[in-house]
Amino acid sequence: MKKAAKFLLCAGVMLLWLVASACGSGNNEDGVNASGTNGAGTRGATPLAAGAGRYVEVDITPPINGRIMLVVAPDGGLVAFDEGLHNRYDSADNGITWVHATGVGAADERFADVQSVGLLPDGRLLVYLQEEGLTAVSADGTTAHFPMPYIDAGIADGDEFNVSFIHVLDNERVLLTYNVDWIARFMRDGGTFQMFGEEDDDEEEETDEDEDGQPRTQMRVGGTVAAGGGMAFGSMNAVTAIHCIQTGRELERLSHTEFMQPMGANAQGGVYTVASHNLVLYSANGDVEVLLNGTAFAFGSPAGFPVGVSSLPAGGFIANVMQPAAEEMVSRLLKYIWDENATINPGKDITIWTLEDNALVRAAITEVWRLYPEANFTLEIALSEEGGVTATDAIRTLNTRLLSGRGPDVIIMDGTPFENYANRGMLLDLTGRVDTAGMYQNLLAPFAAGGLYVLPTQFTVPMMVGEASHLRQALTPDNLVQAIVTGNPLPPMEAMLAGRVIGGAPDEDSAFMGFNDLDELFHLLWIANVSAFIHDNRLDSNALGEFFTALYAISEKFGLGAEADMMQGGVATGVFMVVSGGGGATNRVNMLGGSMTNFLLQTAHTAAFEAGNIHMLSSFMRRDNMELELALLPGLAQGAWVPSTLVGISADTAMQDFAVTFVNAMLSMEVQRLNHGTGFSMLPEATAWQLANMNEILAEVGMPLFEPNLDVLIAQLSTPALIETTLREMVWQTAERLADGRLTVEGAVAEVEQNIRNYLAERS
Amino acid sequence: MSKIFAITLQSGRKYVSQYVRRSEGVTALAFLAPSFAGILIFFLIPFADTVRRSFYDVRGVNFIGLQSYTSVINNAAFRLAATNTLRFVAICIPLLLLISLGIALLIRCIRPHNALFKTTFLLPMAVPVASIVLLWQVVFNDNGLANSVLEFFNLNAVNFMGSGAAFWVLVFTYLWKNTGYNMILWLAGLDSISDTLYEAAHVDGANKWQSFRYVTLPCLLPTIGIVSILSLLNSFKVFREAYLVAGAYPHDSMYLLQHLFNNWFVQMDVSRLSAAATMLAVVLLVIILLIRGFLDEKD
């Protein structure tokens, strides 16, 4: 009996062991997600079994070509207005059909600047009119002043209010987001930054009574506001709280790490917001639910941005998303209803792996999803914002999955050893499968030799900008170094910070080209030269010596060694530039490199930079009374360029056809013409479209057209830069020691020879 | 009748004896099964797959014969890594055995007041690798503690991690970390030697060296085998420190086989990685068998 018990115990332990082992082996893939990949872990986008249900997206946009103001009436009816309230569309069936009516603004220009519309319980509209205040508007166009003492008093004092959000609560109480000529206040207060009327922190509420004696409460908060069963306030210091509408008391502080903009609220007091392209619902009890994965719905397209979410009384919600149209951004109303019976086509369910988030990939997902609503995408971003995973860790995990035959279907190769994948048969030959006819053939050629396993879908180019006379001084790498070294030094940092050189140093005092930090200098020289000193798995020591000589000479000129980096005097220098995605992309904020900063501050005649954004290029080339030109940055590698958003398809994928469809979408005009801000398009047609689109905008505002010689420059590109990060890091460490004087050029060459010997030998 | 009974009883005993032996065997197997399952799942099957992959291309589809093996043998990085690993093992294992044995003997001399010393020598094992790495970076950085000391004595600074000194830093790390563990193994071995043997040797007029040479060492032979094999296997774990301190491509002198394996895996060079791993496993197996054979012979 005892033996039997022991045996059973033993067998039980063994069973547990095996179960644990099985779980452990299964954890491999799950672990990837846990350790940083951003897989679709949401109700809306998780690969679902047939019948498990999902949100279904329906475009219910009424025939309004422009921005739409949407109001959901208490009875569930939808009311949509165009800008200026020229037209009104009503829908009683959740947007399936719309009934048109002439808007009150058709005959009244006072409504031209209305930004938001509320719906009063009696059916009148509530809008804000400049110099008049809140105004109730009847269907026949008659208006009546809607008293709001604080605003009325402000208008009487000459304040200019800007009301961006109106939401009518019960009992005629109104929730507003407004600011009061804050720019003037900012200037007047000598730097005290105040927004949205936050005049007095102690005075949070003002209560008065309306005509019927009902209390009307006004609370001042910062940021945007949404209202539902409770109220959610976003503030500028990244604190968002849900307040009780009746008392104004704070109910819950939402826990979030990044800035959160409330997009709308539901009847239960939950607030909709957008985080990492996903639509997220923060509930009043603190629960957080990802409703829509941005990779799987048009909502998350990087080409657009949501401006509001309205909850539907019957369930579901409507997202008001600004998306690019032919010439401008227009609203699309996207309705999302949970469908228990919605299924996913198992033949159109692919996983896309990328080391870092990529706007073009997201745009391609949106595009394919538009064409195949039954498809499902899982976008895995290996290096998540939460961190904790290095690129090498992520690649190691990817390799493990590829070897086990459970790898992603599509791989974005940026930052990976893509040549190894291609050489070892891990990738599908895309020759004949992907339409490459419309691409820059000179850029495609280096990747097409012996099979097209990896395909760049964007690229950047090391370039120079300046007047032709200056650019002619730097036609070769030696000339460039000579011109910089013999040119003027940059003005002292103190002078720049004191603003004495803003607007330009005298022409004769300007440097030829100026750098503020070694990293930027190294990067630009690296991409322009690396393919000359490392090629065919060999190191050309002479070319490396020339590279280091140039680096050292320029570094010495500007004191870029350890003692003088860009944080001179403890203040970072640089220019931030916000680039509008004209014709397409999400706005991007870029901090320009020191070289471009010096050029824009007119303390240098020319600038070197990595070009990949036509809109930024246009900004760089705008200088009064000067004819600026572009040129390739001279380097040892002839016609150097940097391939990016490299895509390949796993040779083991079971979704070969759909993966090819996806890659074709990445190369489609619909995706390529968008300005993702991360590289030039691989399609000449898309580049031309971007230029034409931008010039239309420039023409509208009366600015000179932008007509760069891009085609000529791109035609000269022939050598893709080696983008292996390991090698770059090894050479960079030596470059730092060279710049701060710990090594001579000869010593640096010897050190690199020594350090990368094993790197090269491993690959032989 | 009694004869029949006797025969029956005898055969019954035999049957019972066989049954007991068989059931003991089953019980033993049942107890071994969980461990064996673990070894099978986590070591033997993956190793078999590694051997298989060494004869196939990266995707494991096309048979390529010995191509990976010849490529590995002709690879300069492999030769350097193998040489460094061999050099590391050849220097570290004897040093570790001698130092830890010496410390164990010293500590044994001062018993029963040796608990503090035992704990102290074991402490490096309790220090997390990340902390060790941080410490090493502080000490052996170009501007680190070690160079500060050298400069204090007007000696030239040494680029510890970028020169041949890196190898000795690694040796020191290994010895520092593993001496305590080996010391405990030695102490266990020493404690298993009966005091009567020393008393007999003392009666026979043996001095301390003779007691050590003719009593301690022969009795420690089984322990030597175990300690040697464990030290050999532990020597491969020093890669963690080497990798975290100096990255995937350290100075030539501390570029070990594990660096190469790690890099080949990242580069998806799985066929050559499998071939090299198989070769290493065979070499290790031969070494372990040699050690055991040698010790069995001595025994």
Side-chain angles (χ1 to χ4, degrees):
Chain A
M1 189 63 194
K2 278 185 178 175
K3 272 185 183 170
K6 281 180 188 172
F7 186 84
L8 281 174
L9 182 67
C10 211
V13 171
M14 187 176 74
L15 199 65
L16 278 175
W17 183 284
L18 288 173
V19 169
S21 303
C23 293
S25 62
N27 272 345
N28 187 18
E29 199 165 9
D30 297 341
V32 172
N33 284 324
S35 63
T37 57
N38 189 11
T42 71
R43 193 162 64 140
T46 304
L48 298 168
R54 62 185 299 191
Y55 273 109
V56 173
E57 181 181 85
V58 184
D59 191 335
I60 58 164
T61 312
I64 294 175
N65 190 30
R67 197 170 78 86
I68 295 175
M69 289 171 275
L70 179 71
V71 186
V72 180
D75 64 356
L78 304 179
V79 188
F81 299 93
D82 59 358
E83 284 181 292
L85 309 188
H86 297 111
N87 294 287
R88 170 179 173 147
Y89 289 87
D90 287 80
S91 175
D93 52 10
N94 280 343
I96 298 171
T97 57
W98 293 94
V99 177
H100 176 254
T102 302
V104 292
D108 194 338
E109 282 302 310
R110 290 184 302 160
F111 297 101
D113 295 326
V114 167
Q115 293 184 35
S116 181
V117 178
L119 206 57
L120 292 165
D122 59 11
R124 290 182 299 165
L125 305 180
L126 184 65
V127 297
Y128 177 79
L129 300 179
Q130 293 293 339
E131 300 178 0
E132 292 183 36
L134 283 170
T135 305
V137 188
S138 303
D140 61 1
T142 55
T143 59
H145 182 63
F146 189 90
M148 185 65 77
Y150 176 79
I151 292 178
D152 293 340
I155 292 172
D157 289 345
D159 289 338
E160 283 189 23
F161 287 83
N162 180 16
V163 179
S164 58
F165 175 83
I166 298 175
H167 186 94
V168 178
L169 304 170
D170 53 337
N171 297 325
E172 292 196 1
R173 294 186 312 150
V174 175
L175 183 62
L176 302 174
T177 298
Y178 64 88
N179 56 24
V180 191
D181 58 7
W182 63 273
I183 295 174
R185 192 182 302 280
F186 172 66
M187 300 300 286
R188 207 165 51 230
D189 290 351
T192 305
F193 189 68
Q194 294 187 342
M195 281 185 73
F196 305 116
E198 287 183 337
E199 290 179 314
D200 187 353
D201 290 341
D202 297 330
E203 189 185 359
E204 289 188 347
E205 295 188 4
E206 284 182 6
T207 304
D208 68 327
E209 293 182 350
D210 62 12
E211 298 91 338
D212 301 327
Q214 294 291 325
R216 188 184 289 139
T217 303
Q218 175 178 283
M219 288 174 289
R220 299 200 197 104
V221 295
T224 51
V225 178
M231 292 182 285
F233 303 115
S235 66
M236 297 306 291
N237 56 3
V239 174
T240 305
I242 296 178
H243 292 246
C244 172
I245 286 177
Q246 298 301 328
T247 64
R249 189 182 305 141
E250 182 178 309
L251 301 175
E252 182 85 23
R253 285 213 171 193
L254 302 181
S255 174
H256 54 91
T257 51
E258 56 190 57
F259 173 71
M260 189 182 111
Q261 182 175 358
M263 289 283 164
N266 63 19
Q268 291 73 43
V271 60
Y272 299 101
T273 187
V274 177
S276 305
H277 296 273
N278 301 323
L279 182 69
V280 179
L281 176 66
Y282 283 83
S283 297
N285 62 5
D287 289 347
V288 183
E289 184 185 8
V290 178
L291 295 177
L292 301 179
N293 186 308
T295 61
F297 295 94
F299 167 87
S301 167
F305 54 91
V307 293
V309 175
S310 304
S311 179
L312 294 171
F317 49 90
I318 297 170
N320 188 344
V321 182
M322 298 299 288
Q323 293 198 339
E327 293 178 6
E328 57 185 340
M329 300 295 277
V330 301
S331 279
R332 281 178 70 192
L333 299 184
L334 302 168
K335 185 174 72 173
Y336 296 92
I337 302 289
W338 181 260
D339 184 348
E340 290 291 345
N341 300 314
T343 57
I344 290 164
N345 184 338
K348 291 185 170 54
D349 185 356
I350 59 170
T351 302
I352 301 148
W353 185 94
T354 175
L355 204 56
E356 292 178 340
D357 203 352
N358 188 301
L360 186 140
V361 172
R362 284 184 181 271
I365 290 174
T366 305
E367 175 61 17
V368 180
W369 204 85
R370 189 178 64 79
L371 299 170
Y372 304 98
E374 76 281 16
N376 188 64
F377 301 90
T378 304
L379 177 64
E380 296 181 347
I381 302 168
L383 300 182
S384 67
E385 289 171 0
E386 289 79 26
V389 179
T390 65
T392 309
D393 291 338
I395 291 168
R396 207 176 281 126
T397 308
L398 172 68
N399 290 355
T400 308
R401 294 173 61 197
L402 287 171
L403 287 171
S404 71
R406 291 187 295 170
D409 304 292
V410 176
I411 306 170
I412 305 303
M413 302 285 182
D414 296 34
T416 69
F418 64 88
E419 284 164 333
N420 296 321
Y421 295 135
N423 294 338
R424 301 201 164 95
M426 303 303 292
L427 301 174
L428 195 67
D429 186 358
L430 301 176
T431 312
R433 291 187 166 96
V434 173
D435 181 12
T436 56
M439 296 172 68
Y440 290 107
Q441 294 302 309
N442 57 317
L443 304 185
L444 185 66
F447 290 87
L452 186 60
Y453 296 97
V454 178
L455 187 62
T457 58
Q458 287 184 303
F459 67 99
T460 59
V461 185
M463 280 189 182
M464 283 180 69
V465 62
E467 286 188 295
S469 59
H470 289 119
L471 295 182
R472 274 198 299 275
Q473 293 176 39
L475 295 176
T476 68
D478 287 343
N479 291 159
L480 174 67
V481 175
Q482 190 71 14
I484 295 172
V485 171
T486 57
N488 291 318
L490 287 170
M493 184 60 64
E494 293 74 21
M496 292 180 74
L497 292 175
R500 288 201 294 274
V501 293
I502 301 290
D507 197 47
E508 61 276 15
D509 292 344
S510 292
F512 180 80
M513 183 186 285
F515 288 93
N516 292 32
D517 66 289
L518 185 66
D519 196 5
E520 182 197 11
L521 172 65
F522 176 84
H523 176 69
L524 290 168
L525 292 183
W526 173 264
I527 56 179
N529 293 284
V530 60
S531 297
F533 58 78
I534 297 173
H535 51 85
D536 301 329
N537 207 37
R538 289 176 190 281
L539 173 69
D540 182 337
S541 298
N542 292 330
L544 178 66
E546 287 182 51
F547 167 77
F548 275 141
T549 303
L551 182 87
Y552 182 70
I554 301 172
S555 164
E556 277 289 284
K557 173 76 179 178
F558 300 111
L560 305 181
E563 285 76 25
D565 60 8
M566 70 179 291
M567 295 296 287
Q568 293 175 54
V571 180
T573 59
V575 170
F576 285 95
M577 178 170 278
V578 181
V579 179
S580 153
T586 316
N587 289 356
R588 297 174 63 86
V589 180
N590 300 275
M591 183 170 178
L592 303 178
S595 175
M596 184 54 71
T597 300
N598 286 306
F599 176 71
L600 294 177
L601 293 175
Q602 300 186 30
T603 54
H605 294 301
T606 62
F609 63 105
E610 188 177 355
N613 185 330
I614 284 178
H615 291 262
M616 287 185 79
L617 215 53
S618 157
S619 308
F620 297 159
M621 294 187 68
R622 225 173 281 140
R623 190 186 275 191
D624 292 341
N625 307 319
M626 281 194 190
E627 287 287 321
L628 297 179
E629 288 189 7
L630 290 169
L632 300 184
L633 183 67
L636 299 170
Q638 195 67 36
W641 60 285
V642 185
S644 73
T645 316
L646 293 141
V647 63
I649 295 176
S650 168
D652 291 326
T653 179
M655 302 282 160
Q656 201 179 98
D657 290 342
F658 197 57
V660 168
T661 301
F662 179 76
V663 174
N664 275 319
M666 290 177 75
L667 292 165
S668 67
M669 262 301 280
E670 285 73 18
V671 173
Q672 289 278 322
R673 73 182 182 184
L674 302 176
N675 178 19
H676 303 287
T678 50
F680 291 127
S681 166
M682 280 293 283
L683 305 180
E685 188 187 356
T687 308
W689 191 94
Q690 286 184 21
L691 274 171
N693 179 270
M694 190 174 62
N695 280 330
E696 269 185 43
I697 297 168
L698 291 175
E700 277 178 18
V701 294
M703 294 180 72
L705 301 187
F706 178 54
E707 292 167 333
N709 51 343
L710 263 186
D711 284 344
V712 176
L713 293 175
I714 291 172
Q716 295 172 32
L717 302 178
S718 57
T719 314
L722 191 70
I723 51 176
E724 229 286 61
T725 50
T726 309
L727 197 61
R728 184 191 186 281
E729 187 57 29
M730 284 195 281
V731 179
W732 162 248
Q733 285 173 6
T734 302
E736 277 188 306
R737 288 154 58 80
L738 170 70
D740 66 19
R742 280 182 285 168
L743 286 174
T744 61
V745 169
E746 292 74 24
V749 171
E751 186 172 283
V752 170
E753 282 176 342
Q754 161 95 20
N755 288 347
I756 72 168
R757 187 188 306 153
N758 294 327
Y759 172 91
L760 298 175
E762 282 173 2
R763 286 158 174 76
S764 66
Chain B
M1 183 68 186
S2 63
K3 195 176 179 183
I4 292 171
F5 177 75
I7 291 169
T8 307
L9 189 65
Q10 198 175 358
S11 61
R13 276 180 185 156
K14 194 177 172 184
Y15 176 78
V16 169
S17 168
Q18 280 176 349
Y19 173 78
V20 168
R21 274 207 298 274
R22 198 180 301 128
S23 65
E24 278 178 352
V26 169
T27 307
L29 277 178
F31 275 106
L32 279 173
S35 304
F36 184 70
I39 289 169
L40 198 68
I41 291 167
F42 295 113
F43 293 99
L44 295 182
I45 293 175
F47 182 68
D49 187 53
T50 303
V51 175
R52 187 190 68 83
R53 281 184 182 276
S54 69
F55 296 104
Y56 281 82
D57 66 358
V58 174
R59 290 178 65 201
V61 176
N62 301 312
F63 184 74
I64 55 171
L66 292 172
Q67 197 177 307
S68 298
Y69 287 89
T70 50
S71 175
V72 166
I73 290 166
N74 292 325
N75 188 276
F78 175 77
R79 288 204 296 267
L80 174 68
T83 307
N84 282 343
T85 307
L86 191 66
R87 180 173 166 232
F88 181 77
V89 168
I91 290 173
C92 282
I93 305 292
L95 270 179
L96 180 67
L97 294 182
L98 286 175
I99 292 170
S100 56
L101 178 59
I103 291 173
L105 290 169
L106 283 175
I107 282 183
R108 202 158 180 268
C109 289
I110 58 167
R111 64 181 175 181
H113 309 291
N114 57 7
L116 178 68
F117 292 94
K118 277 187 194 173
T119 311
T120 308
F121 280 109
L122 269 177
L123 267 182
M125 287 210 73
V127 180
V129 175
S131 307
I132 295 173
V133 167
L134 197 66
L135 178 69
W136 262 212
Q137 282 169 343
V138 169
V139 173
F140 296 113
N141 188 273
D142 281 1
N143 303 315
L145 200 63
N147 274 333
S148 301
V149 172
L150 290 175
E151 282 170 15
F152 181 78
F153 291 107
N154 290 325
L155 297 169
N156 288 333
V158 176
N159 181 5
F160 284 101
M161 302 316 294
S163 67
F167 177 78
W168 298 105
V169 170
L170 202 62
V171 170
F172 176 70
T173 307
Y174 173 76
L175 294 176
W176 173 75
K177 179 136 189 170
N178 290 287
T179 298
Y181 177 60
N182 277 21
M183 176 199 73
I184 293 295
L185 296 177
W186 285 126
L187 282 174
L190 289 170
D191 287 343
S192 69
I193 302 171
S194 170
D195 285 344
T196 54
L197 290 175
Y198 290 106
E199 286 163 8
H202 183 64
V203 169
D204 288 346
N207 59 22
K208 284 197 171 173
W209 164 249
Q210 286 168 324
S211 292
F212 176 74
R213 170 69 183 81
Y214 296 106
V215 178
T216 309
L217 269 187
C219 291
L220 277 180
L221 273 180
T223 312
I224 290 174
I226 291 292
V227 173
S228 302
I229 291 168
L230 287 176
S231 301
L232 180 67
L233 297 179
N234 276 338
S235 69
F236 286 87
K237 292 181 186 167
V238 80
F239 169 69
R240 289 179 303 186
E241 286 86 344
Y243 181 78
L244 289 171
V245 169
Y249 293 95
H251 185 264
D252 271 4
S253 65
M254 61 187 287
Y255 180 76
L256 303 173
L257 276 173
Q258 295 94 319
H259 284 100
L260 180 68
F261 290 178
N262 178 62
N263 295 339
W264 270 347
F265 187 73
V266 172
Q267 293 159 27
M268 204 60 157
D269 203 345
V270 178
S271 300
R272 288 203 294 182
L273 166 60
S274 302
T278 306
M279 287 160 66
L280 178 65
V282 170
V283 169
L284 279 177
L285 189 66
V286 168
I287 291 173
I288 290 169
L289 289 176
L290 282 176
I291 291 172
R292 288 198 59 174
F294 172 75
L295 294 174
D296 286 348
E297 194 180 314
K298 285 283 180 187
D299 201 29

